[in-house]
Amino acid sequence: MTETTQRLLAIMDDGIEAGLARFDEKKVKEIIRTVIHKEASPRLDAYLSTCVHCGLCSDSCHYYLSRDKDPAYSPAGKVKKSLLALTRSRRITPEILKEAAIVAFTHCNLCRRCTLYCPLGVDIAYLIAMVRRICFLCGVVPHYIQDTANSHSATFNQMWIKNDEWLDSLYWQEEEAREELPDLTIPVEREGAEIMYSVIGPEPKFRAQLIYQAAVIMDRAGISWTYPGTRGWDNSDMCMYTGDYEMMGRLKKAHFDTAMRLKVNRIVMGECGHAFRSVYDTGNRYLGWKTPPVPVVHAVEFYHEILTEKRITIKKKLDTPVTFHDPCNIVRGRGLHELAREVTRMCCTTLIEMEPNREHNFCCGAGGGVINCGPNFKNERVLGNRAKAEQLMEAKAKGADTVITPCHNCHGGLEDIIHHFGIDMKIKFLSDIIYETMEI
């Protein structure tokens, strides 16, 4: 048993341990057969049969680089310790299943950076997602992220927010905004609006200022818009990351059903990466839709639209030098890197690039549901992204004072990295910058 394996097996997590307490090898093997032979796409076989273990993907992974190039943290090494261990071992033991779960849920952000560098285009994120699906069906999922998924099941949002609490948050932010703009309203359930604006659960819980800022931006831009007043307002989706695809489908259906009920022209999603991945790519495809039934755009696309159309005016650009962190799900997953930079340059005088950047940028280390796995895995996550800390330090040395990133999980991940490595930098959303610099 390697030192890495010993350390992983020593980690205690209530969710994983509770699942292992019910371990039944026969049932686990049946679940594995079902997922691999009935649920998985034929591309799984294609990936496993074409991977030649060349190792060219290794240097693309922030975990591998940050852990002093330990082969166990390379993309191929993680597949070996998870998917291959589950599918090619003659016997499945609780230890094998536990290590596979910890590797799949906490050592891979599903960022797909490695896919860029694979000469055969093997999608490691897809392989690791299949491991998470197996672990979910076996009941072996980290406690904190499963608790978030349970909230989705019970409340259709990730923060256990009751519907009256959601509405209270909107009315509260409307009152706050009216101190600045007396005629401003935050429309709720406005049928036939041009836009349904959707957010993720933490906004009314922890970042209500983003609701405020969105309302001011919409008002000043003269947009016909609405928030939904019923379930479907939260576009986030940890079920996608736990492997609970059935609940993922229910969440996405509720989101799109709400937009269609309100008869809006399109959905504008707030600054979140994983939610956009779920609505635009994963969830709609699970439901059998090639494209979403209602057009969906990310906040970055929307901001670029209203700025280039001059629907809002930038009064004075931000003088503080900034750098930009590219969220995996809207850059590698959607290609919004140039639009995001154009928005940043419209609002800021100096943009200092991290190296590498755009689709080659390193993940924040929090995505893929990894930050939601809770405090037991925080050190694994933060120490596993020294590579991102070094990027930030280099940008800071060049003069950058603020990191801009249009994604909630990126904020959480970068905050932890900045705190742990003692980097003196602020983190802001694009809406923070637009609100600070626009003519109100």
Side-chain angles (χ1 to χ4, degrees), residues 58-69 362 386-387:
S58 297
D59 282 322
S60 68
C61 181
H62 54 276
Y63 283 98
Y64 174 78
L65 297 175
S66 302
R67 290 290 189 174
D68 300 319
K69 299 191 174 182
F362 286 118
R386 189 180 68 215

Side-chain angles (χ1 to χ4, degrees), residues 61-327:
C61 181
H62 54 276
Y63 283 98
Y64 174 78
L65 297 175
S66 302
R67 290 290 189 174
D68 300 319
K69 299 191 174 182
D70 180 345
Y73 289 93
S74 69
K78 285 178 275 194
V79 171
K80 181 179 179 181
K81 285 181 170 291
S82 57
L83 185 62
L84 297 185
L86 291 174
T87 58
R88 296 184 180 176
S89 297
R90 182 170 296 179
R91 287 201 61 219
I92 305 295
T93 65
E95 291 74 21
I96 288 175
L97 183 56
K98 179 176 180 176
E99 185 174 18
I102 291 176
V103 167
F105 281 106
T106 70
H107 287 172
C108 179
N109 294 108
L110 311 182
C111 76
R112 288 182 167 143
R113 191 174 192 265
C114 53
T115 302
L116 290 179
Y117 298 92
C118 174
L120 300 172
V122 174
D123 188 349
I124 299 292
Y126 175 74
L127 302 181
I128 295 296
M130 288 297 100
V131 179
R132 293 189 183 192
R133 174 65 172 168
I134 290 168
C135 290
F136 166 73
L137 294 173
C138 291
V140 181
V141 178
H143 171 75
Y144 276 81
I145 192 171
Q146 185 57 56
D147 184 62
T148 307
N150 291 343
S151 175
H152 279 304
S153 301
T155 66
F156 277 71
N157 69 79
Q158 66 162 289
M159 303 303 299
W160 298 95
I161 295 172
K162 297 177 182 177
N163 209 61
D164 59 340
E165 294 172 332
W166 160 242
L167 295 173
D168 284 346
S169 296
L170 298 182
Y171 298 144
W172 164 43
Q173 287 308 299
E174 183 179 76
E175 288 178 3
E176 293 283 316
R178 281 182 173 178
E179 293 183 11
E180 185 174 24
L181 296 169
D183 296 328
L184 181 143
T185 61
I186 293 183
V188 179
E189 291 288 301
R190 176 183 287 173
E191 189 174 300
E194 177 192 344
I195 285 169
M196 183 181 93
Y197 189 68
S198 68
V199 301
I200 75 167
E203 289 199 19
K205 194 88 169 182
F206 302 117
R207 295 188 173 175
Q209 86 278 3
L210 297 177
I211 295 174
Y212 178 113
Q213 289 170 185
V216 172
I217 291 169
M218 293 285 189
D219 181 85
R220 294 296 85 183
I223 301 293
S224 169
W225 70 293
T226 189
Y227 276 119
T230 60
R231 72 183 194 180
W233 61 264
D234 178 7
N235 57 38
S236 65
D237 184 2
M238 282 301 113
C239 298
M240 170 178 65
Y241 287 142
T242 62
D244 186 355
Y245 296 155
E246 293 80 8
M247 190 61 217
M248 174 187 72
R250 291 177 63 201
L251 289 172
K252 296 312 106 181
K253 189 172 186 304
H255 191 251
F256 286 118
D257 281 351
T258 299
M260 289 186 283
R261 175 178 58 78
L262 291 173
K263 298 180 176 64
V264 298
N265 293 335
R266 57 180 174 159
I267 299 168
V268 172
M269 300 187 67
E271 295 181 52
C272 182
H274 95 266
F276 189 74
R277 180 182 192 158
S278 175
V279 168
Y280 184 79
D281 179 31
T282 309
N284 64 295
R285 296 185 194 282
Y286 176 83
L287 291 168
W289 298 328
K290 184 177 180 181
T291 56
V294 178
V296 179
V297 298
H298 188 267
V300 167
E301 297 169 281
F302 176 68
Y303 297 153
H304 187 269
E305 176 186 310
I306 60 176
L307 282 166
T308 54
E309 292 179 357
K310 301 192 183 304
R311 300 186 75 162
I312 58 173
T313 303
I314 300 303
K315 179 173 60 176
K316 183 181 179 182
K317 289 187 178 183
L318 187 72
D319 290 331
T320 305
V322 302
T323 190
F324 188 87
H325 168 77
D326 295 275

Side-chain angles (χ1 to χ4, degrees), residues 4-20:
T4 301
T5 297
Q6 288 177 328
R7 191 182 75 254
L8 295 184
L9 294 180
I11 296 174
M12 293 291 115
D13 177 271
D14 289 345
I16 290 176
E17 298 304 322
L20 293 174

